[in-house]
Amino acid sequence: MEKNKEIIFSVFFIGAVIFSLSLFLCFAPKEEYSISERRKLKELPQFSSEGLKKGELGKELEEYTLDHFPFREEFRGLKNLVSQGIFRKLDQGGLYHREGYLVKMEYPLNGEMLEYGSEKLLGIYEKYLKDSGSRCYLSLIPDKNYFLGEKYGMLTIDYELMFRQFSERLPFAKYLDITGLLGIEDYYKTDTHWRQEQLLDVAKYLGKEMGAEVEAPYDKIKAEKPFAGVYAGQWSLPVEGEDLYYLTNGILDNCRVYSVGEKNNTAEGIYDRKKLEDKDPYEMFLSGNKAILVIENPAVREKKELLVFRDSFASSLVPLLVPGYSKITLVDIRYVQSNILDYYIDFSGQDVLFLYSSLILNQSRSFK
Amino acid sequence: MLFSSIPFLYCFFPIFFICYYLSPSFMKNGVIVLFSLVFYGWQEGRYVLLMVAVILLGYVYGVFLERVEKPKKKKMILIFAIISYLAILGYFKYTNFFMDNFSRLFSIKNPIGTILLPIGISFYIFQIMSYNIDVYRNTCKAQKNPLIVAAYISLFPQLIAGPIVRYKDIEEQLLQRSHSFLKTYEGMKKFFIGLGKKILLANQLGECCDIFRQRGEDSSLFFWLYAIAFLFHIYFDFSGYSDMAIGLAEMMGFRLMENFNYPYISRSITEFWRRWHISLGTWFRDYVYIPLGGNRVTFSRWLFNIGIVWFLTGFWHGASWNFILWGMYFALFLMIEKLGLKKYLEKNRFFSHCYVLFFVMVSFLIFDGLSLKEAGRNFLGLFGVGCETLVGAESIYYLKNFLIVILVSVVFATPIGKLIVKKLLQKVFGKRYFILAETAGMLLILLAATAYLVDGSFNPFLYFRF
């Protein structure tokens, strides 16, 4: 009799759990955007007989229910716990957590991408720089896996080979090796990027090699809100936010910053403090992703210009190069076609720095 | 719709069971048919009508087979029925294969183009065929109510990936079946065990196989890792689905036959096929092998019978040369075993287990290969042929990454896993709270499976292509 009661209880209990989650799924208010994944969530698909016939409607509805499942983040966290705790998986979708750092396991080395990326940069040199009298430099930034991967038995690409191969493909540029100046502590724990306040020696080295005096005193300002980078959301388990600092001084405050090729041609100065409240606070450095951005520094009277072909890592480093130049133009060829750059930029013998992270080089298909 | 999907677990499942349990007995089969059509149409809207046509065909043939009394005429109807079913199956499943080979052989362009395979067609065609054959053999009566035939064929738990249920086995249950909390509880238990097998083990092992397919390193270790991962992946994928199907059916008051019985503990290939996809094996035995004469024929005819059955078994699994080779591969082992190897295997326990596991593993390399060339490459890779190295950093990493999943799979592919869980629950919770402990276990599997589903979309079922 007791057993029967327990069985009845069990059936109703499991049924109630399923039914409650079903009700939540159907009637709970829906989010439009997932901050942790940095993407728009699926909308309820429109019914169409064609979609039904082809089975597409079912697929779309499945995607919708996956995106809007109640307690989605908590369930993702539970998956991470089971995966790590029970199955002892070493990484979660390529992401691992060691020494307090969330690290993306960049692997394998993509030879095709390296070739594609170097061809694009070579094309830029051939088209715009070859006869312009510019001095070209190349510097490559290792991702966090460079520092922790091998130590913890994770898969790592052969960074030395990658950097050597890439620099050899661009013989016109002097390779400036910054790997010795960097350590894991120079990166955010929860984000891909490096910490600006740790980059003074990198900026000093680059400036020296390019013949510019970039050293200057800075005030170190701490952002009010703790920073949770892009990996924090992907990790799905709670991780502590960290402090985000930025360096500023009178020179940087007086710079004129504007974007080129956009409708309004505006940017919010070197630091866009409003972005600290947004979903990706790292975008406060030079207003995040911009195709072409110009920084004019009135503090340097003589004309000394720098052209930087870059990815997002440059956003936090380039402000530290500003004291040495009257004008710095940053170009991100992920957002602008590289064959129309002369429409926006006057190639007139500026110093040119190609500054890219290993993450981007290994996936350089986005270069236009 | 997949059982292991959010729409099934949290939309279809609760709505169906509320409607099913609340509907009076005379309406329950109607509810089954209605929901089964939705279940099938969700994935294969365009082929719902095909399934309905097959049901009607089966119903009409069944009625005629019973009404006609002259044996010759009866036989003609049966032959006509079988030809029509095989024509449907042949058109949808095998046209691409034949046209591809034809166009390759004569170097001409395929004039027909690609025909999409309706999900589960191999399963429901075999079911309706068995129904008509059984009516012909007088082992069951023809069903006068088309709704019952529709419920039998479209019964959604077994509709798209089996087990292949025979009408005569569930005839009475279709007409009248009892429902109880105990049946629902036992069905739920079976369903959640299947769900766990599918999502927590099979999908992870499938991920390991996918990583191998995109590997950057050709090492012998990697080929072994893939072969072992696929061996367990296919078992947990298919047996997990069967468990879910049997569990769901039990919740609806049906008792379906078991489809898997720990095949990897077998000590011969003959035994393996008594434990693997039992419903298919017995189908071929009863409807092909025995009618051909079985083993009560001359030696050469007997070899021919085995060859035919295993050719068909391979071809049933898929329209490609890999599957034909796969079937014939097993035919060869079954012949060798029957010719004397089996006696030797019975004497040597350790060797017999190693023999079965190795040759079954190799068979699945053929099964999973996209071509015979790829299957051969994967087989040779096990022995380091064509490999850059025996062991590499990538293979070591993934071995470490999937080691626990593989070990858990090894344990749960034997009865030891079930025994350990039972003993553990009894020890921790005692007999008094055993049911509550089981409930907690079911809940944990449900939540963990949901977590895996929500986190990723890697969830294809292998047996859908059949």
Side-chain angles (χ1 to χ4, degrees):
Chain A
M1 193 61 195
E2 201 63 33
K3 192 181 163 192
N4 277 348
K5 275 185 191 167
E6 283 177 16
I7 283 172
I8 293 169
F9 167 78
S10 297
V11 168
F12 275 108
F13 182 66
I14 300 271
V17 171
I18 293 175
F19 195 63
S20 311
L21 286 168
S22 306
L23 288 179
F24 265 106
L25 177 60
C26 294
F27 301 111
K30 306 285 182 281
E31 300 282 336
E32 282 183 10
Y33 188 85
S34 163
I35 294 171
S36 63
E37 293 159 275
R38 310 284 206 265
R39 70 174 177 92
K40 209 167 170 278
L41 297 172
K42 295 272 177 199
E43 287 175 12
L44 188 66
Q46 297 285 317
F47 177 84
S48 75
S49 55
E50 193 60 21
L52 186 68
K53 222 167 83 180
K54 289 182 178 170
E56 283 165 2
L57 188 68
K59 201 180 155 208
E60 284 171 12
L61 272 169
E62 179 160 1
E63 286 170 354
Y64 172 80
T65 54
L66 280 170
D67 269 8
H68 296 280
F69 198 76
F71 313 111
R72 186 163 180 267
E73 291 306 314
E74 288 76 7
F75 272 112
R76 289 187 60 230
L78 175 64
K79 187 257 170 176
N80 196 335
L81 277 178
V82 173
S83 180
Q84 283 191 87
I86 295 175
F87 294 115
R88 315 300 294 172
K89 296 291 279 291
L90 302 176
D91 68 272
Q92 308 300 317
L95 204 63
Y96 63 93
H97 195 201
R98 299 284 187 282
E99 297 183 13
Y101 286 86
L102 286 169
V103 184
K104 185 89 183 164
M105 197 169 63
E106 186 63 22
Y107 187 86
L109 184 61
N110 195 331
E112 266 179 44
M113 285 294 107
L114 280 191
E115 200 176 322
Y116 178 81
S118 59
E119 286 295 322
K120 277 281 168 196
L121 299 189
L122 198 61
I124 288 172
Y125 172 74
E126 293 286 343
K127 185 167 183 186
Y128 308 115
L129 305 171
K130 197 174 177 181
D131 303 318
S132 68
S134 290
R135 286 177 301 169
C136 298
Y137 304 91
L138 168 73
S139 196
L140 302 173
I141 307 159
D143 58 88
K144 291 195 279 187
N145 199 32
Y146 172 80
F147 303 100
L148 296 181
E150 225 171 87
K151 188 174 170 187
Y152 290 102
M154 310 307 286
L155 287 172
T156 56
I157 53 178
D158 187 339
Y159 287 92
E160 262 182 46
L161 179 73
M162 179 193 210
F163 293 167
R164 193 177 67 239
Q165 280 187 352
F166 200 80
S167 57
E168 281 172 2
R169 283 177 183 153
L170 305 176
F172 60 86
K174 182 182 177 188
Y175 179 57
L176 306 179
D177 184 2
I178 56 171
T179 51
L181 299 171
L182 293 168
I184 188 65
E185 65 285 354
D186 297 326
Y187 292 76
Y188 291 107
K189 288 182 172 173
T190 60
D191 199 59
T192 336
H193 297 104
W194 51 9
R195 307 184 71 102
Q196 188 191 42
E197 75 277 12
Q198 299 284 98
L199 300 179
L200 287 168
D201 48 351
V202 174
K204 187 179 160 187
Y205 168 70
L206 293 178
K208 190 181 158 200
E209 289 294 322
M210 294 190 292
E213 182 51 58
V214 299
E215 276 188 272
Y218 291 99
D219 296 326
K220 185 175 164 184
I221 315 283
K222 184 178 156 184
E224 278 180 23
K225 268 174 68 175
F227 170 53
V230 68
Y231 292 152
Q234 287 177 26
W235 186 241
S236 72
L237 283 176
V239 281
E240 265 184 48
E242 53 192 320
D243 293 332
L244 183 147
Y245 295 96
Y246 57 96
L247 303 175
T248 191
N249 57 24
I251 300 171
L252 298 189
D253 288 344
N254 288 329
C255 284
R256 180 174 171 248
V257 182
Y258 57 94
S259 61
V260 177
E262 286 181 12
K263 274 183 185 169
N264 299 325
N265 277 10
T266 56
E268 296 288 333
I270 298 276
Y271 301 117
D272 184 350
R273 292 167 181 84
K274 280 185 284 182
K275 297 260 187 193
L276 287 171
E277 305 297 320
D278 278 2
K279 54 184 183 281
D280 191 357
Y282 182 81
E283 289 199 337
M284 69 93 63
F285 296 104
L286 293 177
S287 301
N289 295 323
K290 298 275 176 194
I292 303 173
L293 194 79
V294 179
I295 305 168
E296 287 177 355
N297 177 9
V300 175
R301 299 267 166 84
E302 67 170 301
K303 188 184 171 193
K304 187 163 177 61
E305 294 187 16
L306 175 66
L307 185 58
V308 184
F309 287 91
R310 57 97 175 213
D311 56 31
S312 55
F313 278 72
S315 299
S316 49
L317 176 75
V318 166
L320 306 181
L321 300 176
V322 164
Y325 291 93
S326 59
K327 182 179 175 185
I328 297 180
T329 306
L330 297 100
V331 184
D332 193 336
I333 55 168
R334 293 174 300 169
Y335 303 104
V336 59
Q337 293 286 347
S338 57
N339 57 359
I340 55 162
L341 290 177
D342 50 354
Y343 183 74
Y344 302 107
I345 301 164
D346 177 23
F347 292 93
S348 55
Q350 308 98 318
D351 288 347
V352 178
L353 173 64
F354 294 93
L355 182 64
Y356 284 102
S357 67
S358 50
L359 291 174
I360 294 295
L361 291 186
N362 212 32
Q363 295 156 24
S364 62
R365 184 61 71 194
S366 52
F367 284 5
K368 291 179 178 172
Chain B
M1 195 184 295
L2 304 174
F3 295 156
S4 56
S5 69
I6 294 293
F8 181 83
L9 289 171
Y10 294 100
C11 299
F12 188 92
F13 183 95
I15 296 171
F16 169 75
F17 278 105
I18 287 171
C19 294
Y20 183 74
Y21 287 135
L22 291 181
S23 61
S25 294
F26 73 94
M27 277 178 68
K28 284 197 190 309
N29 284 332
V31 172
I32 287 176
V33 173
L34 185 70
F35 275 84
S36 295
L37 292 177
V38 173
F39 176 86
Y40 192 74
W42 178 274
Q43 193 103 10
E44 285 285 45
R46 75 182 102 200
Y47 288 134
V48 170
L49 287 179
L50 175 71
M51 188 178 70
V52 173
V54 168
I55 291 168
L56 288 175
L57 218 54
Y59 168 75
V60 173
Y61 282 135
V63 171
F64 275 115
L65 280 166
E66 195 173 65
R67 272 191 198 164
V68 173
E69 285 178 359
K70 285 184 181 169
K72 264 193 175 177
K73 225 175 173 183
K74 212 170 176 174
K75 199 170 187 176
M76 283 305 290
I77 294 171
L78 180 70
I79 290 169
F80 195 73
I82 289 174
I83 289 172
S84 52
Y85 296 135
L86 292 181
I88 293 169
L89 188 62
Y91 176 75
F92 284 102
K93 188 165 179 175
Y94 299 106
T95 306
N96 293 337
F97 172 74
F98 286 117
M99 290 315 296
D100 281 351
N101 282 289
F102 182 78
S103 50
R104 227 177 280 165
L105 195 65
F106 296 103
S107 302
I108 53 165
K109 205 181 158 197
N110 180 349
I112 294 180
T114 305
I115 294 163
L116 294 175
L117 177 71
I119 288 173
I121 189 168
S122 311
F123 289 94
Y124 68 73
I125 288 282
F126 267 41
Q127 291 200 171
I128 201 79
M129 264 164 70
S130 72
Y131 164 63
N132 285 165
I133 295 170
D134 288 344
V135 173
Y136 169 80
R137 288 175 175 173
N138 284 326
T139 49
C140 71
K141 289 204 176 307
Q143 179 50 248
K144 306 292 183 302
N145 183 350
L147 189 72
I148 303 285
V149 180
Y152 160 60
I153 293 297
S154 70
L155 185 68
F156 72 84
Q158 47 81 56
L159 174 60
I160 49 180
I164 301 168
V165 181
R166 298 195 207 168
Y167 178 76
K168 64 179 179 184
D169 292 340
I170 59 163
E171 184 182 10
E172 280 179 27
Q173 299 171 46
L174 281 163
L175 298 172
Q176 197 171 20
R177 56 192 174 273
S178 62
H179 303 85
S180 68
F181 279 106
L182 182 62
K183 271 188 175 178
T184 306
Y185 177 79
E186 291 297 332
M188 266 168 55
K189 208 162 74 181
K190 189 99 185 157
F191 177 80
F192 286 118
I193 288 170
L195 188 69
K197 278 182 176 180
K198 166 66 186 154
I199 293 177
L200 303 179
L201 295 178
N203 280 5
Q204 294 203 70
L205 293 162
E207 194 188 322
C208 181
C209 297
D210 274 355
I211 288 168
F212 167 81
R213 291 183 195 107
Q214 294 154 21
R215 69 192 178 279
E217 167 197 297
D218 268 344
S219 68
S220 188
L221 177 65
F222 223 155
F223 282 95
W224 277 99
L225 179 61
Y226 155 69
I228 292 169
F230 191 76
L231 177 75
F232 289 104
H233 167 61
I234 191 163
Y235 168 65
F236 285 109
D237 192 278
F238 195 18
S239 77
Y241 191 92
S242 289
D243 286 348
M244 285 190 270
I246 295 165
L248 284 168
E250 195 161 350
M251 291 170 76
M252 293 152 71
F254 292 96
R255 194 166 285 276
L256 306 187
M257 73 184 298
E258 287 294 334
N259 213 15
F260 289 86
N261 183 20
Y262 301 109
Y264 293 159
I265 63 166
S266 305
R267 293 179 55 196
S268 66
I269 299 294
T270 312
E271 187 187 351
F272 171 79
W273 273 101
R274 280 195 209 116
R275 293 171 174 272
W276 177 277
H277 205 172
I278 299 165
S279 63
L280 181 74
T282 51
W283 197 99
F284 273 111
R285 184 195 64 201
D286 295 345
Y287 296 107
V288 182
Y289 183 65
I290 291 174
L292 283 173
N295 56 3
R296 293 176 181 175
V297 285
T298 60
F299 180 71
S300 56
R301 172 69 197 205
W302 172 64
L303 291 182
F304 174 78
N305 289 350
I306 291 179
I308 285 287
V309 167
W310 288 94
F311 169 83
L312 292 175
T313 303
F315 209 33
W316 178 89
H317 276 83
S320 93
W321 290 108
N322 280 44
F323 291 112
I324 293 172
L325 178 68
W326 183 73
M328 297 314 287
Y329 171 91
F330 279 117
L332 186 70
F333 278 98
L334 292 169
M335 287 175 193
I336 295 170
E337 283 182 6
K338 285 190 168 76
L339 288 172
L341 182 64
K342 205 167 166 222
K343 279 181 188 162
Y344 174 76
L345 293 170
E346 278 162 8
K347 286 178 199 158
N348 196 328
R349 199 178 185 86
F350 179 74
F351 174 76
S352 59
H353 283 301
C354 295
Y355 154 82
V356 170
L357 286 174
F358 178 75
F359 287 108
V360 168
M361 182 184 79
V362 171
S363 85
F364 286 131
L365 294 183
I366 302 169
F367 189 97
D368 190 45
L370 290 176
S371 63
L372 289 176
K373 194 179 165 192
E374 189 188 295
R377 168 84 191 88
N378 291 342
F379 174 70
L380 292 173
L382 296 175
F383 306 100
V385 179
C387 293
E388 298 151 357
T389 173
L390 290 179
V391 175
E394 200 177 336
S395 50
I396 288 178
Y397 177 78
Y398 286 116
L399 175 63
K400 283 196 271 182
N401 209 20
F402 288 99
L403 187 64
I404 300 295
V405 181
I406 291 173
L407 290 177
V408 172
S409 301
V410 170
V411 172
F412 280 95
T414 69
I416 298 167
K418 196 175 172 182
L419 201 69
I420 290 173
V421 172
K422 197 176 170 185
K423 293 271 178 206
L424 200 73
L425 288 181
Q426 274 178 352
K427 198 173 178 186
V428 175
F429 297 96
K431 280 188 179 167
R432 171 67 193 83
Y433 297 107
F434 190 72
I435 288 171
L436 295 180
E438 276 188 340
T439 309
M442 282 192 261
L443 189 66
L444 284 177
I445 291 175
L446 172 68
L447 294 179
T450 304
Y452 269 77
L453 285 174
V454 169
D455 191 67
S457 56
F458 182 83
N459 197 32
F461 265 119
L462 286 185
Y463 265 71
F464 264 25
R465 58 180 165 164
F466 308 124

